[in-house]
Amino acid sequence: MACFLVSAAEAAVVTIVEKAVEKKEKKVEVFETQSAEMTQVPLSRKLKWLRNMLWGGALLLLFEHIWHGEVVPWFPFLTAASDPADTLQMLKEMATVGVAMAALVTLVWLGLVAVVSIYEKRARNSSSAKA
Amino acid sequence: MTLLVSVFAAVLCTVIWYKNAPKDEMRVSILCWMFWGASLMWLVDAIFEFAELGAAYFQPAPADMLNDLFLGLSVVAFALVVWLVILIIKDPKGTVRAAIFKKK
């Protein structure tokens, strides 16, 4: 009904955090030497992966909801919002399916970040061995 | 069926991205993230539906399957259009800019 809204909300939050982190990293970059950059993926880039997955998924699910007539281009935009019984059902779906969707995407992203951190560790070890 | 189409699209895009990595001039990574994100979300949807319907989930009516396939292909077409718009706006190869500002 509107499960994609949970992912879209998380995507909005992640976008704001990512922009803030990117700004901070750019400030620090000026004073840092280049050696550390070679073995570490910036946090802003990792957040960008999550952002893209959440926005991309929410966008394609929005298309699906339009297809099924659950989202309409006129107020209140969600067909379920015009009837109180349907609204309750919609909120229940958002709290279960919607939250589970956002949680799974975040969990997969955390797994990806964990794998990348292993690569970073290996790269650091090999660069320190060379030195 | 929509989930299946989305997963196939995600795998195909990832293979294309991997073939050209680390270069990503065509921004195929955008499609990868989009399709993987949607696939994960539809997977959750499928799990909830399976919990509700049980084995009947795997025996959809032919008309429903066809409609879902049509939806899946439409989703892929929509994602490709979104990707193309992003590619043209970002113009990583500078092709659009060169074409616009070229002298006769």
Side-chain angles (χ1 to χ4, degrees):
Chain A
M1 284 177 165
C3 46
F4 68 96
L5 286 179
V6 180
S7 300
E10 190 190 337
V13 173
V14 170
T15 306
I16 293 165
V17 173
E18 182 238 315
K19 294 290 171 205
V21 170
E22 197 176 39
K23 213 173 170 184
K24 209 173 166 185
E25 280 171 353
K26 271 182 189 164
K27 272 184 192 170
V28 175
E29 233 171 60
V30 180
F31 304 103
E32 263 186 5
T33 53
Q34 268 197 321
S35 59
E37 289 172 39
M38 304 299 281
T39 56
Q40 200 162 1
V41 181
L43 179 63
S44 61
R45 195 189 291 179
K46 289 173 185 167
L47 286 169
K48 214 173 265 182
W49 301 338
L50 178 62
R51 183 200 71 184
N52 287 346
M53 245 195 307
L54 287 167
W55 276 128
L59 188 72
L60 297 191
L61 261 78
L62 168 70
F63 183 87
E64 187 221 341
H65 284 70
I66 293 170
W67 181 280
H68 287 135
E70 291 166 346
V71 174
V72 285
W74 53 84
F75 192 78
F77 306 109
L78 301 163
T79 45
S82 50
D83 180 52
D86 285 345
T87 307
L88 200 70
Q89 179 69 27
M90 179 187 79
L91 291 174
K92 199 180 152 198
E93 202 191 275
M94 281 170 76
T96 52
V97 184
V99 170
M101 281 175 176
L104 181 67
V105 172
T106 311
L107 211 68
V108 169
W109 173 75
L110 284 173
L112 191 69
V113 169
V115 171
V116 169
S117 70
I118 293 170
Y119 280 122
E120 286 172 342
K121 208 174 174 184
R122 276 189 201 161
R124 267 198 301 273
N125 286 345
S126 64
S127 66
S128 62
K130 273 179 195 170
Chain B
M1 192 57 103
T2 313
L3 167 65
L4 209 60
V5 173
S6 174
V7 169
F8 273 115
V11 170
L12 197 72
C13 289
T14 310
V15 169
I16 293 169
W17 167 80
Y18 186 83
K19 204 169 167 257
N20 298 308
K23 271 201 303 183
D24 190 23
E25 274 185 338
M26 295 298 285
R27 304 282 165 119
V28 182
S29 59
I30 293 169
L31 278 175
C32 292
W33 294 120
M34 230 190 305
F35 284 130
W36 280 120
S39 298
L40 290 170
M41 289 179 193
W42 273 316
L43 175 69
V44 171
D45 208 30
I47 291 167
F48 273 88
E49 221 172 307
F50 176 72
E52 201 182 303
L53 301 173
Y57 174 76
F58 296 108
Q59 291 134 18
D64 289 342
M65 262 176 75
L66 194 67
N67 186 42
D68 272 358
L69 176 67
F70 191 27
L71 170 60
L73 293 175
S74 303
V75 162
V76 172
F78 176 67
L80 288 172
V81 170
V82 170
W83 166 71
L84 197 65
V85 168
I86 294 171
L87 187 71
I88 287 173
I89 290 172
K90 290 207 170 173
D91 193 20
K93 289 175 86 175
T95 313
V96 178
R97 262 165 289 163
I100 290 170
F101 297 112
K102 82 169 178 188
K103 287 175 185 168
K104 282 183 185 175

